[in-house]
């Protein structure tokens, strides 16, 4: 059933089994936040937890807190929580560093494996519309190692898995379009062609069910400040299939990845398993905030887990698409996100030839926060992007957001000069 009135949406909220989860967050009054795919909202527990880390653990405990407050174990403790969300097993994930840096580590390990197992393979394949940092990191590594980075459109991925390819690096859910790959099928196709599969889960961890183990993926990284609600600059995470984890040092072989960091040996002995993917001292205050964010997702486990979250996410995005298409028709918006559920992440993107930026600004002025992503003037148009985080977004929010969008378009309000001035961060 698709709710088709404000009253229906209120009914759907009243019957939503995940409704209570929104009370885990401090959302400003009157804000409809459709940007949890860029920066998740503040969990209610975070401020007190961070204050405790600062005033008690650091202020009073001082250096003793490395042991007594569990600081030293926090990358693995947070990693174990993340593993539950992405189909990893305990001790297979660490929370650490940024997504960009973790990608450097795993791509480097994957290229090391390829160099030993298939030295004639000299190409790394990715998607042209992948998030730029992923492409930049890949390009830098390819230059350094004498590999070629080959970028293709999504429909050309299968055909690009040729005998010269060592590694396929993809982002599971595309940041621009919200299109989702079939991780198991793509990984199987890569493996059948002798290619390693590296996945970026930045827009899928905590947003859609992920099964890294079931998909037999090789390496994965993901982001802590998007759907995991870890706060700005939160530590990211890294997962390596246990069959590969101990094959190589990772290139940023710092002391936190050493088997016995506190023996202070001059020579490096990598820690077993995923721990070797740590580099240096971790940002403990941010790590505490990340754990609060992760706890907001683990609260779904008794309520049906990621499957329940996914069902609500699809209901929200279906509703948004239907309302935009019926109530905002004739305004030049086209759906850039797949309609097929299995191909859709937790966001909806609307393409528009011109005015996309200004429309988003006009919505933000009305407290409906989405974002804008620039096109390339060619195949990829400018888009309005709306993320739907089922932990705190309800059906009435969707109704109201579309109603604001309709008013912004009908009135031409978005054409005002103040909405057409670009800020540094879009
Ligand atoms: C958000 C995002 C990142 C972010 O990388 P940082 O190192 O945290 O800046 C990387 N890759 C993808 C696909 C993303 O969506």
């Amino acid at each position: 059933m698709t709710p088709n009135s404000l009253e229906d949406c209120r009914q759907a909220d009243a019957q939503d089994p995940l409704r209570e989860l929104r009370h885990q967050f401090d959302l400003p009054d009157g804000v409809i936040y459709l940007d949890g795919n860029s920066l998740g909202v503040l969990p209610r527990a975070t401020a007190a937890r961070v204050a405790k880390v600062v005033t008690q653990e650091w202020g009073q405990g001082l250096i003793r807190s490395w042991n007594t407050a569990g600081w030293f174990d926090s990358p693995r403790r947070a990693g174990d929580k993340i593993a539950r969300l992405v189909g990893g097993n305990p001790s297979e994930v660490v929370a650490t560093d940024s997504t960009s840096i973790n990608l450097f580590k795993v791509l480097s390990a994957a290229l090391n494996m390829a160099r030993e197992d298939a030295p004639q393979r000299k190409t790394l394949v990715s998607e042209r519309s992948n998030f730029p940092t992923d492409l930049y990191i890949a390009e830098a590594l390819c230059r350094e190692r004498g590999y070629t980075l080959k970028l293709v459109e999504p429909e050309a991925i299968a055909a690009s898995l040729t005998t010269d390819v060592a590694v396929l690096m993809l982002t599971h859910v595309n940041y621009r379009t919200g299109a989702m790959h079939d991780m198991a099928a793509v990984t199987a196709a890569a493996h059948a062609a002798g290619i390693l599969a590296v996945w970026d889960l930045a827009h899928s961890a905590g947003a859609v069910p992920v099964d890294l183990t079931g998909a037999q993926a090789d390496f994965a990284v993901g982001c802590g400040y998007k759907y995991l609600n870890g706060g700005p600059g939160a530590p990211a995470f890294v997962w390596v299939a246990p069959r590969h984890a101990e094959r190589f040092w990772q290139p940023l072989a710092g002391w936190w990845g050493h088997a016995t960091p506190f023996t202070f040996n001059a020579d490096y002995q990598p820690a077993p398993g995923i721990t070797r993917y740590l580099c240096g001292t971790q940002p403990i205050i941010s790590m505490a905030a990340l754990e609060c964010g992760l706890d907001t997702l683990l609260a779904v486990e008794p309520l049906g887990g990621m499957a329940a979250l996914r069902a609500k996410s699809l209901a929200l995005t279906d509703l948004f698409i239907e309302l935009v298409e019926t109530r905002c028709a004739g305004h030049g918006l086209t759906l850039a996100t797949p309609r097929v559920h299995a191909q859709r992440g937790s966001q909806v993107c609307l393409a528009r030839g011109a005015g996309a930026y200004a429309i988003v600004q006009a919505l933000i002025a009305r407290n409906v926060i989405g974002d804008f992503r620039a096109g390339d003037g060619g195949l990829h148009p400018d888009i309005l992007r709306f993320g739907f985080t089922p932990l705190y977004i309800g059906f009435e929010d969707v109704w109201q957001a579309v109603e604001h969008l309709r008013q912004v378009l009908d009135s031409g309000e978005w054409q005002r000069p103040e909405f057409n001035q670009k800020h540094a961060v879009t």
Side-chain angles (χ1 to χ4, degrees):
M1 199 266 318
T2 308
N4 42 33
S5 68
L6 176 56
E7 205 34 55
D8 286 351
C9 290
R10 290 186 173 144
Q11 278 281 320
D13 281 334
Q15 290 161 7
D16 170 16
L18 306 184
R19 184 69 178 161
E20 291 309 303
L21 294 171
R22 68 158 51 201
H23 300 304
Q24 301 184 101
F25 300 94
D26 274 329
L27 263 166
D29 281 344
V31 168
I32 301 177
Y33 192 68
L34 304 179
D35 219 354
N37 52 326
S38 240
L39 177 64
V41 305
L42 172 66
R44 205 158 270 180
T46 303
R49 175 78 191 105
V50 167
K52 183 168 176 241
V53 173
V54 172
T55 57
Q56 290 182 30
E57 297 178 4
W58 177 17
Q60 300 298 314
L62 292 167
I63 198 151
R64 293 167 290 194
S65 288
W66 283 110
N67 292 312
T68 57
W71 288 359
F72 189 67
D73 294 330
S74 60
R76 299 185 48 153
R77 194 169 57 242
D80 282 350
K81 291 180 180 183
I82 294 166
R84 282 153 66 179
L85 302 171
V86 297
N89 293 300
S91 305
E92 288 180 5
V93 175
V94 281
T96 183
D97 298 330
S98 67
T99 307
S100 306
I101 290 173
N102 289 330
L103 195 61
F104 177 80
K105 298 172 194 168
V106 299
L107 275 184
S108 175
L111 291 179
N112 282 344
M113 281 179 63
R115 185 174 53 203
E116 276 189 8
D117 298 345
Q120 77 288 0
R121 292 176 181 263
K122 287 289 191 190
T123 303
L124 192 158
V125 170
S126 192
E127 220 179 299
R128 189 174 304 282
S129 69
N130 201 342
F131 191 83
T133 203
D134 298 45
L135 300 181
Y136 304 158
I137 295 280
E139 188 182 347
L141 260 171
C142 283
R143 278 168 179 258
E144 193 180 294
R145 306 276 190 108
Y147 281 71
T148 303
L149 175 63
K150 183 174 169 191
L151 302 181
V152 299
E153 297 303 325
E155 44 300 340
I157 291 170
S160 71
L161 303 178
T162 46
T163 54
D164 58 324
V165 178
V167 175
L168 173 65
M169 174 191 80
L170 291 176
T171 296
H172 184 212
V173 174
N174 186 282
Y175 81 107
R176 282 180 48 83
T177 62
M180 181 165 72
H181 288 293
D182 180 337
M183 182 185 287
V186 174
T187 302
H191 288 176
I195 298 166
L196 293 164
V198 175
W199 290 98
D200 188 330
L201 307 179
H203 289 274
S204 31
V208 298
V210 177
D211 186 2
L212 288 169
T213 305
Q216 299 192 357
D218 295 294
F219 299 90
V221 298
C223 182
Y225 53 78
K226 293 172 178 159
Y227 292 95
L228 300 184
N229 304 318
F237 67 89
V238 50
W239 173 88
V240 177
R243 62 185 181 279
H244 304 322
E246 297 189 359
R247 233 182 113 174
F248 292 99
W249 298 11
Q250 55 103 349
L252 303 176
W255 71 305
W256 275 53
H258 194 281
T260 55
F262 289 94
T263 55
F264 296 103
N265 292 345
D267 61 327
Y268 182 74
Q269 288 296 327
I274 194 68
T275 305
R276 73 180 60 191
Y277 280 80
L278 297 176
C279 180
T281 307
Q282 300 299 310
I284 295 301
I285 302 168
S286 294
M287 200 67 86
L290 173 63
E291 282 199 68
C292 293
L294 293 168
D295 291 341
T296 65
L297 284 150
L298 297 184
V300 188
E301 284 184 344
L303 301 171
M306 285 305 299
L309 212 58
R310 174 65 170 162
K312 183 174 170 190
S313 155
L314 286 171
L316 292 171
T317 52
D318 275 347
L319 175 64
F320 183 78
I321 291 169
E322 183 173 329
L323 291 177
V324 167
E325 290 185 335
T326 51
R327 297 172 65 79
C328 304
H331 284 294
L333 298 172
T334 35
L335 184 67
T337 299
R339 281 177 208 278
V340 180
H341 282 176
Q343 296 171 13
R344 188 193 307 161
S346 199
Q347 71 189 51
V348 177
C349 300
L350 305 171
R352 198 170 193 278
Y357 178 80
I359 295 168
V360 169
Q361 294 308 308
L363 284 172
I364 292 172
R366 288 164 167 265
N367 271 342
V368 178
I369 303 181
D371 61 24
F372 161 84
R373 285 294 173 263
D376 57 10
L379 206 50
H380 309 110
D382 286 356
I383 55 170
L384 298 80
R385 187 172 72 154
F386 302 97
F388 294 85
T389 307
L391 287 177
Y392 48 80
I393 294 297
F395 296 91
E396 181 175 349
D397 295 326
V398 173
W399 178 275
Q400 302 292 8
V402 176
E403 183 55 20
H404 282 290
L405 178 60
R406 188 187 68 72
Q407 289 173 15
V408 162
L409 292 166
D410 280 352
S411 66
E413 178 179 314
W414 60 275
Q415 293 172 7
R416 287 200 219 141
E418 70 262 34
F419 298 138
N420 285 274
Q421 266 158 25
K422 286 228 170 123
H423 301 293
V425 176
T426 59

